[in-house]
Amino acid sequence: MPFSQLKPPRQAASTDVLLVLLPPTHGEGIASQLASTNASLDRLQTLLEPAIRILRINEASHPAVVSSFHATELPAFVFLRQGIELWRHQGLPDDEAIAPLLLRKINS
């Protein structure tokens, strides 16, 4: 389902967070991939507000936080509710699939 057809959730759940663990921004091809990822995250945040807050965590700035999640591939996405991990995806998910999946998680 395209982003434009999704409806935002009705109730805010202040403790739902999608952590996005990002690779360092140096290296060949990383900058353009990061720009594309950030654009997708901006669209996703617009759809999921106010129910899910997206937090971007760069490995270069916060290596201890990223390593604490034991991500083997970056970017990695970790959905948390009240500090409990409900869903994880390593690598770039399909833009069209992640929003409906997260919206279903909110209601479960």
Side-chain angles (χ1 to χ4, degrees), residues 61-81:
S61 303
H62 304 285
V65 174
V66 173
S67 69
S68 73
F69 283 94
H70 307 289
T72 57
E73 183 181 344
L74 296 178
F77 296 75
V78 182
F79 180 63
L80 304 167
R81 176 175 286 155

Side-chain angles (χ1 to χ4, degrees), residues 44 46 49 51 58 81 99 104-105:
L44 184 61
T46 300
E49 289 178 329
N58 187 294
R81 176 175 286 155
R104 284 191 304 274
K105 293 279 184 196

Side-chain angles (χ1 to χ4, degrees), residues 20 22 32-42 56 75 77 92:
V20 182
L22 297 167
S32 64
Q33 181 181 6
L34 189 58
S36 174
T37 300
N38 280 326
S40 292
L41 292 173
D42 290 341
R56 302 166 202 210
F77 296 75
L92 287 173

